[in-house]
Structure formats: C-alpha cells, structure tokens
Amino acid sequence: MSSFTDSNFVKKLSELNNTQQSIQTLSLWLIHHRKHSKTITQVWLRELQKVRPSMRLIYMYLANDVIQNSKKKGPEFTRDFATVMTDAFASATKDAEEKVKKSVDRILNIWQERGVYSKNTIDKIKSGTALQDITERRKKKIEEYIPTYKKAISDIAAEINLKRGRDKKKVEEYVPVNKVKDPQPVEAAPPNKKKKKEEMLSLREEIELMSKDDTSGPPDAEELVKRLSDLEHSASSDAAVREKIAALPPEVSDVNHLAKIHDKESGVILSRKVEDACILLSEYNFRLNAELEERKMVGKMLKDFIACQKEQLMSAEKKIEEYKKRLDKVTEVRGELESHIKNLPDFDLLPRLTGGLAPLPSAGDLFNMQDGRH
C-alpha cells in the first residue's frame, strides 16, 4: 500500500468515481493511514469545495464509508471529520439538485440513527450554526474595537467642518459630545477586564476539573504524540503574524493620536488602518482560542494517559508484591527441604547388609516349612 502524502491523496480523489469499489478502495487506503486523519479531513474539505456539484455527493459517500468503517480502529476520523462537516455540508448542498440534497441529508440521518454523531452535532451541521457562531464572534470582536475610534473620528470631522463653515456663531456654540483626549469607554473597560481575569481559571485548573471519560478508554500514545507535535506549529508559534502585529503603527492603538487628525481624509485613512488591525487581531485571537481549546483537549488526554499509566503501574506493583510473597514462600519451602535433606542419614555410611543375609526362601520351601509344622 502506497505511503500517504497530500499530493498522493489529491490524485486518488481526482480518480474517484461513483462506484462502490472505487469508494471502498480509497476508504480502506485512508483508514490504513488514519494517523494522518487531521490532514486527510482538511484536504478532503478543500477538494470537495473545488469539484463540480455532481462530485460533491461522492465525496460525502467517501466520508461516510471512512467514518463508519474506521470506528473499530479508533475515533480519529469520527472526531476530525466533525470539525469540517459543517462547511462540507454547506458546500455539498450549495446550488445542488433536490435529489442530491436529500441524499446528503440521508447520510446525516444515518449517522444520527447509528450513534455516530449526537443529535446536537447533526443539527449544527445541518443549520450551519457552528459557522455562523464563528462569524458572529469574529464580527463582535471587530465591532468592540471600532466604535470608539469611529465616533471620535466623526466628532473630529464634524468639528472641522463647522470650523470651516461661514456661520461663526454655530462654531462658537458647538461643543463636541465626546472629547478625543479622554474617551470614557476606554477608561471604564479595564476594571471589568481585570475582574474577569480574576474569576478565570488557569489552563491547568480547567483541565483538572474536566471529568474522565471512562467509555472512550485510554488515549492512544501515537495519537497523543501526533497532537503534541501539531501544537508546535500552532498560532502562538506563528512568528509571521506576530511580526505583523508588532509592526502595526502606534496610531491604531493609541487614542492620543486622534488629536493629530486635521481633515476627513486623514481620519478615513486612520479608520481603515484600525479596521485592518482589528481584523488581523480578531483572526489571530480566533486562532489562539482554537489553539487554547486544542491544548485543553491535549491536556485532558495527557491527564487521562498519566492516570492510566499510574493505574497500570499500581497494578504492576501489586503483582510484583504477590510474586515476591510467592517467592518468599518458595524460598522458605526450599530451605526446609534442604534442611530435611541434610538431616537424612548418609546411605554410604550404613553397613551393607545384603551380603550377609540368607536368600529369601522359595515358594516350595515355604510350603514344606508349613507341612513340617503340622
């Protein structure tokens, strides 16, 4: 069986057709390379979004075959396909015929009936709420940064326009609602953030509070090592993005720079810079949040793995104690046996009596002896 590479997988996907043999052959190959499940699901989604609508259903059939036939081997594909299935469902049903939509919907219903995924997960996949939640969170984070700057810029623009107007009286009577130098919302925010930080648990504490899942069994060591190695290339290690953030101009984070704006054009330019910075930061924050969740899951896996190893160690120590007790008993019996053997007489020192004794009488002699007595 050929080794797994992204290009090799893409080539096999391009050769996939709507026959059971083609789907099952590729499915078996993927299950054989299940240690690459995370990469496989990502490539599968990327290629599904590229192909023509008629091929998307075949890709869903492939995912169905892999998920259902890999359950006995391990939970890798069930878990990793769940992370991309919302986007996949949306792409598979987009501009598709009603027949295709019903077929895709039938696959999801089968997963729910057979307990592959929970009803809540299936509902999220169908409705696309997971994608909407992500979009909403990113939008809210951007909106948190922008209003203060936009309001301040609009106040400055209004003030400039009034100063340039012909009506001097209106200029003199005009008082800006929010002065740029001392915006109230910015000063009011830190205490709440500080209070929230005090209430937040550390990552270690959150992991400790997670309950152990006894139904799933101990984590696979190979999968644990793979996920730990994946964390080495996570968002917090993305030097390129961090350099972009470090290189952001100071005016996007310092409110005092707003006082230097003297016309509408410079205000609009600053507004665009702030929006670009907000998008960059919100996307990076989203990745960091995803990394944090992954670290929690890996931390829980490590906790369960260590607990399992401790249980096995305790079991091994108990067996060692049992074997030690058995060894002590065997040693004791051996000592008694050796002592008993030492106390036995030495047969070499006993007199040889066989040479001085008369031979035993024969059967005929015994009868003769009895007759003589009578």
Side-chain angles (χ1 to χ4, degrees):
M1 193 170 284
S2 59
S3 59
F4 177 83
T5 60
D6 287 12
S7 57
N8 203 359
F9 180 32
V10 171
K11 183 182 177 184
K12 288 181 180 293
L13 282 172
S14 66
E15 297 169 353
L16 186 66
N17 57 61
N18 192 19
T19 62
Q20 188 175 2
Q21 183 180 358
S22 177
I23 292 169
Q24 288 181 347
T25 302
L26 183 51
S27 174
L28 287 172
W29 184 78
L30 293 174
I31 293 170
H32 178 74
H33 295 290
R34 62 186 179 278
K35 65 181 179 180
H36 303 287
S37 60
K38 201 167 185 179
T39 305
I40 287 170
T41 53
Q42 290 170 352
V43 174
W44 173 83
L45 175 63
R46 186 186 70 206
E47 296 303 311
L48 180 142
Q49 292 171 336
K50 289 180 182 179
V51 296
R52 61 185 185 277
S54 59
M55 281 295 296
R56 293 171 191 163
L57 180 59
I58 301 173
Y59 277 54
M60 292 296 292
Y61 285 149
L62 173 65
N64 176 55
D65 197 280
V66 171
I67 290 169
Q68 296 209 55
N69 289 317
S70 66
K71 285 195 295 183
K72 294 180 181 179
K73 301 278 187 180
E76 300 92 343
F77 281 112
T78 306
R79 181 194 62 239
D80 292 335
F81 266 112
T83 61
V84 300
M85 197 50 69
T86 301
D87 292 341
F89 178 79
S91 298
T93 55
K94 183 181 179 182
D95 302 327
E97 297 178 359
E98 195 62 30
K99 184 179 178 181
V100 174
K101 289 181 180 179
K102 286 182 179 179
S103 298
V104 175
D105 199 57
R106 177 59 184 154
I107 293 172
L108 299 184
N109 292 336
I110 289 172
W111 290 346
Q112 184 177 332
E113 290 167 7
R114 297 183 181 179
V116 177
Y117 294 116
S118 65
K119 184 179 182 300
N120 186 39
T121 304
I122 296 297
D123 290 341
K124 279 190 175 183
I125 292 171
K126 287 182 178 180
S127 62
T129 52
L131 184 60
Q132 290 174 6
D133 290 343
I134 292 169
T135 306
E136 285 298 319
R137 284 200 299 269
R138 292 174 69 179
K139 189 176 179 181
K140 283 179 182 178
K141 284 192 175 292
I142 293 171
E143 288 174 352
E144 285 175 6
Y145 292 100
I146 293 175
T148 304
Y149 293 98
K150 277 196 171 181
K151 190 168 182 62
I153 290 168
S154 62
D155 288 340
I156 292 170
E159 189 173 1
I160 292 169
N161 289 334
L162 285 170
K163 284 181 180 180
R164 288 181 177 178
R166 295 179 180 178
D167 195 345
K168 295 182 180 179
K169 188 176 180 181
K170 287 183 179 180
V171 175
E172 291 172 359
E173 291 176 355
Y174 175 76
V175 179
V177 178
N178 289 328
K179 292 185 179 180
V180 178
K181 294 183 180 178
D182 189 20
Q184 295 300 323
V186 177
E187 292 185 358
N192 294 333
K193 289 183 180 178
K194 189 175 182 182
K195 190 174 181 181
K196 284 181 182 178
K197 283 182 181 178
E198 290 174 356
E199 295 174 358
M200 288 175 64
L201 297 173
S202 66
L203 180 59
R204 183 184 292 274
E205 288 171 338
E206 286 189 39
I207 293 170
E208 289 297 327
L209 290 173
M210 288 181 178
S211 59
K212 183 179 178 182
D213 188 4
D214 296 325
T215 58
S216 61
D220 182 57
E222 187 177 346
E223 181 189 356
L224 182 58
V225 171
K226 180 180 179 296
R227 294 183 75 165
L228 283 169
S229 63
D230 288 342
L231 284 175
E232 293 178 2
H233 307 289
S234 55
S236 58
S237 304
D238 193 341
V241 176
R242 294 176 72 174
E243 284 176 7
K244 285 182 182 179
I245 294 171
L248 288 173
E251 55 265 25
V252 301
S253 58
D254 189 355
V255 183
N256 294 325
H257 281 271
L258 295 174
K260 299 177 182 179
I261 298 175
H262 300 294
D263 53 32
K264 186 176 179 179
E265 185 180 355
S266 59
V268 171
I269 292 171
L270 178 59
S271 176
R272 288 174 182 170
K273 286 183 180 179
V274 170
E275 287 184 9
D276 291 341
C278 289
I279 292 170
L280 175 65
L281 290 169
S282 63
E283 288 180 351
Y284 189 57
N285 284 336
F286 175 75
R287 290 177 59 199
L288 288 173
N289 286 332
E291 179 189 344
L292 181 60
E293 292 301 319
E294 177 66 10
R295 286 187 182 276
K296 286 180 186 177
M297 293 305 298
V298 173
K300 183 179 179 299
M301 288 177 67
L302 276 171
K303 177 190 169 186
D304 294 345
F305 184 78
I306 292 170
C308 179
Q309 293 299 311
K310 285 182 178 179
E311 288 176 6
Q312 292 180 4
L313 180 62
M314 289 174 65
S315 176
E317 287 176 347
K318 285 181 181 179
K319 287 183 179 180
I320 289 172
E321 289 298 323
E322 290 177 6
Y323 291 144
K324 281 183 178 179
K325 289 178 181 179
R326 290 181 184 180
L327 179 62
D328 291 341
K329 287 182 180 179
V330 171
T331 304
E332 184 181 352
V333 172
R334 182 181 178 184
E336 291 178 359
L337 183 60
E338 288 178 351
S339 175
H340 182 69
I341 291 172
K342 287 179 181 178
N343 292 330
L344 289 174
D346 191 351
F347 290 101
D348 293 335
L349 300 177
L350 292 175
R352 296 182 178 276
L353 301 176
T354 55
L357 294 177
L360 292 173
S362 64
D365 293 337
L366 289 172
F367 283 112
N368 292 332
M369 289 174 68
Q370 289 179 357
D371 292 340
R373 289 176 182 176
H374 290 298

